[in-house]
Amino acid sequence: MTDHSEVDTVTGKSTTGHEWDGIKELNTPLPRWWVIAFYLTIVWAIGYWIVYPAWPLIASNTTGLFGYSSRADVAVELANLEKIRGDKMVALGAASLADIEKDPALLALARAKGKTVFGDNCAPCHGSGGAGAKGFPNLNDDDWLWGGTLDQIMQTIQYGARSGHAKTHEGQMLAFGKDGVLKGDEIVTVANYVRSLSGLSTRKGFDAAKGEKIFAENCVACHGDGGKGNQEMGAPNLTDKIWLYGSDEASLIETISQGRAGVMPAWEGRLDPATIKAMAVYVHSLGGGK
Amino acid sequence: MNKTVNPNELKPADDNAPLYAARKKVYPQSVSGTFRRIKWGLMAFCLGVYYLLPFVRWNRGLGAPSQAVLIDLPNSRFYFFFIELWPQEVYYFTGLLIVAAVALFLMNSIGGRIWCGYLCPQTVWTDLFYAVERLVEGDRRERMRKDKSSDPIKLERIYEIVLKHSIWLLIAWWTGGAWVLYFNDAPTLVKELVTFQAPMIAYVWIGILTASTYVLAGFMREQVCTYMCPWPRIQAALTDEWALNVTYRYDRGEKRTSVKKAAELRALGQQVGDCVDCYQCVAVCPTGIDIRNGPQLECIQCGLCIDACDNVMTKIGRPKRLIGYDNDINIQRRQEGKAPIYRIVRARTIVYSAIIAAVGGIMIYTLATRSLLDVNVLHDRNPVAVKLSDGSIRNAYTVRLLNKSGYDRVIAIDVEGPVNPTMHVVGVDSVTPDRPIIVVPRDSTSELRLLVTAPAENNPEKSIPVRFHVMDIGLGVAASATDNFVTP
Ligand code: SF4
Ligand code: SF4
């Protein structure tokens, strides 16, 4: 090798002999510690190839010396998590609904668990906060079609309403108009009568006595005397301020002529009992039930 | 080499050194004197506090940690003697940081880099490591000779090197060990560490701090101050002409001559400088600079060159403090033949002191009046308001009660704002109607779901400010929080 070296006067170092635009390159080799560290990383990498799964083969990959795999690691972690949660969920499953609400720790667990499960399963219909929508009950208020005690809520979640489950809530609003039971003007009259029950304004000149008579003949069977409703049949209270399908005359006329039969699926079998319990407690705590 | 330097006469060309310089190993010589004694004292104090503080006990009653200073990460608590801080109170640390920063400014405006020279951990541990090095390998000359020597290495030398590094590692290891003791009960943790029962994270941190102490104090030393630390740059912007800095009084020192020549010239009645060019000040300097070249970035203001030169001056019978703490103004004044003046109380120091006093005062005040009961309220977002079957309006809130005291509290909640409100806490049967009563265990928080209902006809506004009052029924301690009551 020819010796290009020439000594730089300022630093006293030799140059590489390379020069660009009058700037010469000093010969500054990498520090020894750096080079050693570099070789060590190579050695380390080779060790890594041997110890850990590394090389892709045609159908699989090398498994490494100790058969380690991150997938197995995750499985172990998940199993551990289940074990940690398991105890608590067992405690939840064993406690009665009322006891869960009395125990701050269990209540917090049930609410947390219930909230996630609610978000995954119930929010599409009832909204993420349980605020409901037209035809889908608001779970934060105190009006419950099938009853708002802890047990009643739990039952509704388990079996649903008109869900096809053997123990489901049955009962539906008949289609008085479509089925030809009531005529158009009768429907308008009874709709106004129902509005009057909860103190809403009525159409001018509407015949209250006639409305009452139609109501007594057709509606009392489900909605009860005075329209107070019947939770056995899921018949709403018509005297309160909460209307699942709207309280204006048009909505009422539609309800009376077409009938209503919203469906709530049964969750038994899809969710485990402890989870359903947690959800019942969560829903009950939204508004305290009734 | 023996260039006479008057900073006022420096030309730009004198500053033309290359930007890169390879490190020259520094072999600071041992020295004795006033500043060395101050440094030993401060070192003993700082290290003593650092190593022993975790073992100081403080009785906080049953169930509470009895360590005076403890950072309890799992429970998010910080204990400092009689003070206990919660995560909600991190602003105390902000205050502490402000005070610390301004204290640094104040120190700087009074005496330059006092922090660097005497208190900075880098300085303290490097000083300690140098002391070990001197003890094992001998003083400056010996170490230089040993490092340069091309003789084949003898067993004795190997023994020295191994011993030095062992002691260094021991100190470094104990430094890392002391660190983790601040995060757990010290005696228990020591026991666990010794029996290898301690959590992995403790060993990891000890490892990290052992390595950093060993490398920073054993090898990098003054390079940390010169190249890594931002403070020299910042302090240069903060310092002013009144700040006392370690200064070579060149007006008194120049022209430099040998002791003999100086005596001769003086006998002839001629003007000579006091500096005898003995290089003692350079030999002791831990950053390896010559203070006679004027103020320099590298100088950490440790004052050791003052001690070194004072010793020389005493020996040759000249007045001390040829090198001393002095300021720019006096250099000027002495040249003009005026008496030096020193001024510690001036606008800058007054402002810094006032800031420290103000922030410190606020912190002490809030700490003294700190409430041991607190409440946070969060309004439900979805739905914000619910209409009930009787037409009344209900809003739901998440209420967090914080009981920072060492005993359980029985707390009543009252609401103020909407007309005729009623309250219900989920899971709690109120004995007193509309006034939920909750027990919050000591040193903990309770999160409640609180429902407030009010008749719509009495509360026609879209949004009504509400105030939640919580009160410890037994002690009468109260706290409150505000939010809104919304109608749909
Ligand atoms: S010049 Fe003097 S004060 Fe500055 S670092 Fe060196 S010995 Fe310390
Ligand atoms: S120690 Fe004092 S006398 Fe000696 S070279 Fe330094 S300044 Fe001059």
Side-chain angles (χ1 to χ4, degrees):
Chain A
M1 209 172 97
T2 45
D3 186 14
H4 304 289
S5 66
E6 166 193 348
V7 174
D8 176 67
T9 45
V10 182
T11 56
K13 282 188 175 181
S14 60
T15 68
T16 58
H18 304 157
E19 185 179 334
W20 293 272
D21 297 339
I23 298 170
K24 286 179 189 158
E25 184 184 36
L26 288 184
N27 183 14
T28 312
L30 289 166
R32 173 133 4 112
W33 66 265
W34 197 99
V35 176
I36 292 173
F38 176 62
Y39 288 130
L40 280 178
T41 57
I42 294 176
V43 172
W44 177 266
I46 293 169
Y48 214 94
W49 285 340
I50 298 168
V51 173
Y52 286 97
W55 291 103
L57 306 174
I58 290 170
S60 64
N61 57 286
T62 56
T63 53
L65 274 189
F66 307 119
Y68 166 88
S69 97
S70 50
R71 191 176 289 240
D73 253 16
V74 173
V76 170
E77 297 264 323
L78 282 178
N80 280 341
L81 198 65
E82 275 306 302
K83 219 159 80 202
I84 296 167
R85 287 207 184 135
D87 297 348
K88 291 186 181 161
M89 288 309 280
V90 166
L92 199 65
S96 79
L97 287 168
D99 287 344
I100 295 173
E101 279 211 342
K102 289 277 168 304
D103 181 332
L106 281 181
L107 177 62
L109 173 67
R111 274 184 50 78
K113 174 88 183 167
K115 188 173 181 168
T116 13
V117 181
F118 187 91
D120 289 347
N121 299 285
C122 319
C125 293
H126 291 285
S128 60
K134 185 173 174 179
F136 300 99
N138 182 345
L139 305 177
N140 290 271
D141 63 24
D142 62 343
D143 191 21
W144 296 85
L145 289 174
W146 306 97
T149 65
L150 271 170
D151 291 313
Q152 287 169 324
I153 292 175
M154 169 110 164
Q155 194 191 353
T156 305
I157 297 172
Q158 265 178 306
Y159 309 130
R162 306 169 198 101
S163 66
H165 189 283
K167 294 188 191 168
T168 190
H169 290 310
E170 291 293 2
Q172 60 181 320
M173 170 81 188
L174 301 174
F176 289 93
K178 217 163 75 182
D179 295 350
V181 182
L182 293 175
K183 287 196 283 297
D185 60 329
E186 289 174 322
I187 292 175
V188 173
T189 306
V190 82
N192 276 280
Y193 174 72
V194 167
R195 273 172 63 81
S196 75
L197 287 178
S198 52
L200 296 168
S201 63
T202 50
R203 196 185 269 210
K204 226 194 226 141
F206 117 92
D207 184 346
K210 190 175 162 211
E212 188 176 358
K213 185 163 167 284
I214 301 170
F215 188 85
E217 282 166 3
N218 298 282
C219 316
V220 165
C222 292
H223 290 285
D225 278 333
K228 291 264 189 258
N230 182 352
Q231 292 182 343
E232 289 290 303
M233 315 171 87
N237 182 349
L238 304 176
T239 65
D240 66 18
K241 303 271 196 304
I242 296 172
W243 295 85
L244 187 52
Y245 290 95
S247 64
D248 57 306
E249 194 192 51
S251 298
L252 277 170
I253 291 171
E254 186 188 329
T255 301
I256 297 166
S257 19
Q258 310 285 329
R260 301 285 188 190
V263 172
M264 155 96 179
W267 294 96
E268 194 184 57
R270 301 199 223 183
L271 300 173
D272 65 272
T275 304
I276 290 183
K277 232 177 202 178
M279 212 147 72
V281 171
Y282 170 72
V283 170
H284 186 252
S285 76
L286 282 178
K290 199 38 175 315
Chain B
M1 268 294 230
N2 291 2
K3 192 166 63 166
T4 304
V5 181
N6 177 345
N8 297 330
E9 287 159 11
L10 281 176
K11 286 178 222 49
D14 292 329
D15 207 15
N16 238 354
L19 290 175
Y20 173 81
R23 185 194 181 207
K24 286 199 197 76
K25 196 172 176 200
V26 184
Y27 297 86
Q29 194 168 21
S30 68
V31 63
S32 58
T34 317
F35 294 98
R36 183 65 264 185
R37 270 197 300 280
I38 295 175
K39 272 173 73 73
W40 286 134
L42 286 173
M43 181 202 279
F45 175 75
C46 293
L47 293 179
V49 168
Y50 176 73
Y51 289 127
L52 300 178
L53 199 53
F55 294 97
V56 178
R57 304 285 96 188
W58 193 266
N59 187 9
R60 292 194 182 84
L62 219 68
S66 56
Q67 184 156 319
V69 178
L70 178 68
I71 302 160
D72 186 357
L73 288 180
N75 299 310
S76 323
R77 298 280 189 277
F78 173 70
Y79 300 94
F80 187 85
F81 295 93
F82 59 92
I83 300 170
E84 177 190 334
L85 295 184
W86 283 41
Q88 289 84 353
E89 296 159 323
V90 280
Y91 50 78
Y92 284 111
F93 293 99
T94 315
L96 217 56
L97 286 178
I98 295 173
V99 168
V102 183
L104 212 53
F105 298 169
L106 181 63
M107 276 191 209
N108 193 80
S109 63
I110 292 175
R113 290 165 68 182
I114 303 181
W115 168 261
C116 300
Y118 300 88
L119 295 166
C120 174
Q122 176 63 21
T123 294
V124 171
W125 265 282
T126 302
D127 218 10
L128 181 64
F129 273 43
Y130 269 133
V132 171
E133 195 167 67
R134 249 175 240 130
L135 201 73
V136 177
E137 296 187 333
D139 211 347
R140 175 177 161 90
R141 277 165 202 288
E142 260 173 281
R143 295 209 306 280
M144 286 170 97
R145 179 176 54 75
K146 283 172 182 166
D147 277 2
K148 279 224 187 70
S149 154
S150 49
D151 301 344
I153 287 187
K154 290 205 200 72
L155 208 59
E156 208 181 320
R157 179 77 183 128
I158 294 175
Y159 166 75
E160 265 182 15
I161 293 173
V162 171
L163 181 66
K164 178 179 84 173
H165 286 279
S166 308
I167 300 177
W168 278 1
L169 278 169
L170 210 68
I171 297 172
W173 169 75
W174 189 238
T175 304
W179 174 261
V180 301
L181 297 183
Y182 284 90
F183 294 85
N184 214 321
D185 184 62
T188 319
L189 187 58
V190 169
K191 226 175 285 159
E192 289 174 349
L193 284 169
V194 174
T195 54
F196 296 102
Q197 309 279 307
M200 195 59 201
I201 187 79
Y203 293 106
V204 170
W205 273 106
I206 293 177
I208 291 173
L209 283 149
T210 305
S212 60
T213 310
Y214 179 63
V215 171
L216 291 182
F219 300 94
M220 302 194 62
R221 301 178 161 176
E222 83 286 347
Q223 298 176 95
V224 174
C225 313
T226 310
Y227 301 114
M228 290 167 67
C229 178
W231 182 233
R233 279 85 180 163
I234 297 169
Q235 74 89 31
L238 286 168
T239 198
D240 64 6
E241 70 276 22
W242 290 103
L244 293 173
N245 283 308
V246 175
T247 310
Y248 166 66
R249 295 176 165 134
Y250 61 87
D251 51 298
R252 194 190 124 186
E254 306 296 330
K255 294 267 189 151
R256 306 169 192 171
T257 37
S258 70
V259 189
K260 230 161 95 192
K261 223 169 178 186
E264 285 165 10
L265 288 171
R266 246 184 228 113
L268 296 173
Q270 280 189 25
Q271 161 70 34
V272 254
D274 279 342
C275 176
V276 292
D277 225 355
C278 63
Y279 277 90
Q280 279 310 297
C281 51
V282 179
V284 299
C285 177
T287 69
I289 57 165
D290 187 343
I291 189 66
R292 296 172 300 167
N293 291 341
Q296 285 150 82
L297 172 85
E298 292 89 338
C299 176
I300 56 167
Q301 311 258 320
C302 64
L304 293 182
C305 52
I306 305 181
D307 283 342
C309 190
D310 278 357
N311 293 341
V312 174
M313 291 298 119
T314 314
K315 236 178 265 162
I316 64 170
R318 301 296 301 168
K320 288 200 208 177
R321 297 294 141 88
L322 171 54
I323 304 176
Y325 275 96
D326 208 345
N327 60 33
D328 294 354
I329 290 194
N330 287 334
I331 292 173
Q332 208 58 49
R333 287 178 66 89
R334 271 197 313 273
Q335 276 174 338
E336 292 161 9
K338 295 188 206 151
I341 44 170
Y342 300 94
R343 197 173 290 161
I344 287 177
V345 182
R346 49 187 206 274
R348 190 186 280 258
T349 55
I350 292 172
V351 169
Y352 290 154
S353 309
I355 294 174
I356 293 173
V359 177
I362 292 170
M363 281 171 64
I364 291 171
Y365 174 77
T366 51
L367 207 56
T369 56
R370 172 176 179 265
S371 157
L372 294 180
L373 174 67
D374 225 336
V375 56
N376 297 329
V377 172
L378 192 69
H379 195 289
D380 255 21
R381 290 276 155 255
N382 179 20
V384 283
V386 175
K387 191 163 110 186
L388 297 189
S389 52
D390 63 357
S392 55
I393 311 300
R394 185 162 71 195
N395 280 203
Y397 304 86
T398 303
V399 174
R400 187 182 278 276
L401 296 172
L402 297 84
N403 177 9
K404 300 178 196 167
S405 69
Y407 35 85
D408 300 355
R409 285 183 189 276
V410 182
I411 288 167
I413 305 178
D414 290 298
V415 66
E416 180 194 335
V419 181
N420 297 335
T422 52
M423 267 193 289
H424 172 66
V425 172
V426 172
V428 174
D429 288 328
S430 303
V431 185
T432 337
D434 312 333
R435 198 185 190 221
I437 293 179
I438 291 106
V439 179
V440 185
R442 63 186 186 75
D443 200 35
S444 68
T445 64
S446 288
E447 198 182 272
L448 312 168
R449 185 172 167 79
L450 179 74
L451 308 171
V452 177
T453 310
E457 58 273 21
N458 298 343
N459 298 283
E461 300 92 335
K462 271 230 116 356
S463 173
I464 304 162
V466 287
R467 224 178 152 70
F468 293 95
H469 300 286
V470 300
M471 193 169 96
D472 183 321
I473 302 182
L475 294 161
V477 185
S480 55
T482 49
D483 209 304
N484 285 305
F485 185 84
V486 184
T487 54

